Amino acid sequence: MSKFQIYPAIDLRGGKCVRLFQGDYAQETVYGDSPVDMAKKFADAGTEWIHMVDLDGAKDGVRINDGVVIEAAKLPVNIQIGGGIRTREDIEHYLSNGISRVIIGSLAIRNPELVVSFIEEFGADRIVIGIDAKDGMAATEGWIETSGQSAKDVASFFVSKGAKHFIYTDIATDGTLAGPNIEANKALVDSDEAEVIVSGGIGTLEDIKNVKAAAKESPVAGVIIGKALYENRFTLEEALSC
């Protein structure tokens, strides 16, 4: 198990920094016109990783904000990016331009065998399986559709194929600041070789401390923080000090 990581989040839509409420594209708040400036702010605060999501790409199924992501990757920080990654070329495009890890979400549900081939080709440390769930069921296409598979079944399949990194987002908590669904994250995978990053609901420093406490006895290995930072519930420096 690697050390516990904080992942400040930058969600991209129309080239700007935004946050959605429970994944609803109609409930968007814009927090900045320059995602690269935001990434620099996070890097200057001392974070080792930044979590970026191309919301336009997630919705439309193609890379849209990749230029911004690649520009941010020139900073002294690791970037993981999700949204609109559907092909081998998408992965190659990002990894060859300084991105540390790519997140595969909808495609992992629709074409799992193809994603297994990506893990085999690019390595398990470069591919993250992003599982977004409504009531425990995996959702796809920017959270617009719900599949017929449970999040745990999807994770179990990919663990059996060598996947090491997972992001679990409980859509019901995302953007709410009401606290994360820690128990669902702890139960996602049954393997000492796999790690789960908690996403959704972080609203206080206490939430972060609770996630870190869970990491001592489970595969939980990190937490993504978005809206709480943008609404100044606490600073990134404070989160990192936890």
Side-chain angles (χ1 to χ4, degrees):
M1 183 73 71
S2 61
K3 75 172 185 176
F4 189 84
Q5 291 283 358
I6 299 289
Y7 296 81
I10 297 176
D11 288 359
L12 307 164
R13 192 175 185 205
K16 298 181 179 181
C17 291
V18 308
R19 297 300 293 172
L20 305 182
F21 181 80
Q22 295 182 333
D24 186 350
Y25 281 71
Q27 298 189 63
E28 173 191 271
T29 303
V30 177
Y31 286 104
D33 291 331
S34 175
V36 175
D37 286 349
M38 188 66 69
K40 186 177 187 306
K41 177 182 175 182
F42 290 157
D44 289 345
T47 190
E48 295 180 22
W49 284 87
I50 295 175
H51 172 83
M52 303 185 82
V53 179
D54 181 351
L55 291 174
D56 295 311
K59 190 174 183 180
D60 296 345
V62 294
R63 300 190 313 264
I64 293 178
N65 292 289
D66 52 314
V68 172
V69 178
I70 290 169
E71 187 66 25
K74 296 176 183 178
L75 296 165
V77 67
N78 295 295
I79 302 285
Q80 64 180 20
I81 174 66
I85 299 172
R86 299 288 191 272
T87 67
R88 181 195 176 282
E89 288 72 26
D90 291 331
I91 297 172
E92 177 69 31
H93 175 68
Y94 279 125
L95 296 185
S96 64
N97 280 287
I99 308 304
S100 298
R101 295 197 299 228
V102 297
I103 305 161
I104 309 293
S106 299
L107 192 64
I109 308 298
R110 293 204 325 269
N111 195 341
E113 294 298 340
L114 179 61
V115 177
V116 170
S117 75
F118 295 156
I119 294 171
E120 293 171 347
E121 178 177 357
F122 296 103
D125 282 328
R126 308 300 298 277
I127 306 291
V128 183
I129 306 300
I131 302 177
D132 307 322
K134 289 182 178 179
D135 300 321
M137 304 302 289
T140 62
E141 312 307 330
W143 301 353
I144 296 169
E145 301 174 14
T146 302
S147 76
Q149 300 178 66
S150 75
K152 188 168 178 60
D153 285 348
V154 173
S156 295
F157 170 80
F158 282 104
V159 168
S160 74
K161 300 299 183 180
K164 292 183 178 180
H165 301 288
F166 293 84
I167 295 172
Y168 182 88
T169 304
D170 180 8
I171 296 172
T173 66
D174 192 73
T176 66
L177 302 172
N181 187 342
I182 295 176
E183 292 305 312
N185 279 272
K186 287 169 61 176
L188 186 66
V189 299
D190 298 313
S191 171
D192 293 335
E193 302 300 317
E195 300 181 348
V196 181
I197 302 169
V198 176
S199 174
I202 297 296
T204 66
L205 292 173
E206 193 65 26
D207 289 335
I208 298 172
K209 293 174 183 177
N210 289 338
V211 174
K212 189 173 183 184
K216 296 177 181 178
E217 56 180 13
S218 74
V220 169
V223 60
I224 293 169
I225 309 170
K227 190 175 182 179
L229 291 175
Y230 294 102
E231 298 206 343
N232 300 311
R233 297 297 182 96
F234 50 80
T235 67
L236 179 54
E237 289 86 348
E238 289 172 328
L240 291 168
S241 72
C242 286

